[in-house]
Amino acid sequence: MRHRMRGRRLGRSTSHRQALGRNMVTALFRHGRIVTTEAKAKEYRSKAEKLITLAKTKDLHRIRQAMAVIGDRDVVNHLFNVIGPSFKDRPGGYTRIVRLAKPRLGDKGTRVLFELVNFVPEAAATSDEAAAAS
């Protein structure tokens, strides 16, 4: 029986699951948007949102807590200098999960876009800037 058992196992061992979560959250903060399966996005959404809440105020203890999870100094700097302050007035709900129409080719797994709510794609941003400049 599965009484009071939380979280998804995702067909991986504990250490593999933890490494997967760290890598997914790091990629999300580095790129702003990633394509993954629905189960992985739902599982690691809470980890990403807790780190963004942590990054709203910048002090040494919070930076060290984020470094314990992320491990990449550049991504932690981006999290505390760009992502955290951009969500300063938002009480929660920093990420979005959008289902994609086509499933994954190999096993028909449901694919989703796992993204930050304030994410602006670079191609759209450059076309808007070009239109404003002309």
Side-chain angles (χ1 to χ4, degrees):
M1 288 187 214
R2 216 187 151 272
H3 298 299
R4 297 177 62 111
M5 299 290 291
R6 291 187 56 204
R8 295 166 180 85
R9 289 192 183 162
L10 302 172
R12 292 163 170 81
S13 65
T14 304
S15 59
H16 190 178
R17 241 185 349 264
Q18 290 171 349
L20 174 69
R22 289 176 177 176
N23 289 334
M24 284 191 59
V25 168
T26 301
L28 176 66
F29 293 150
R30 180 176 289 138
H31 301 292
R33 168 192 280 182
I34 55 175
V35 177
T36 184
T37 63
E38 187 175 13
K40 289 179 196 172
K42 285 182 176 181
E43 182 66 22
Y44 298 118
R45 168 185 243 175
S46 64
K47 182 177 277 199
E49 297 213 359
K50 286 174 187 173
L51 283 169
I52 293 172
T53 302
L54 196 69
K56 283 181 165 185
T57 43
K58 184 177 182 180
D59 63 349
L60 185 60
H61 181 61
R62 290 172 185 255
I63 291 171
R64 286 181 174 164
Q65 284 178 319
M67 280 296 292
V69 175
I70 295 175
D72 187 355
R73 194 175 299 262
D74 295 332
V75 175
V76 172
N77 283 336
H78 182 69
L79 176 65
F80 277 89
N81 296 329
V82 179
I83 297 173
S86 69
F87 288 116
K88 194 75 168 172
D89 298 328
R90 192 178 182 96
Y94 313 117
T95 59
R96 172 187 303 135
I97 297 175
V98 180
R99 285 182 157 209
L100 296 176
K102 292 186 178 179
R104 197 164 52 187
L105 280 178
D107 60 354
K108 299 292 186 192
T110 57
R111 293 183 335 149
V112 296
L113 271 177
F114 184 35
E115 65 183 1
L116 299 174
V117 171
N118 62 0
F119 175 73
V120 177
E122 292 179 14
T126 55
S127 65
D128 291 341
E129 292 168 2
S134 60

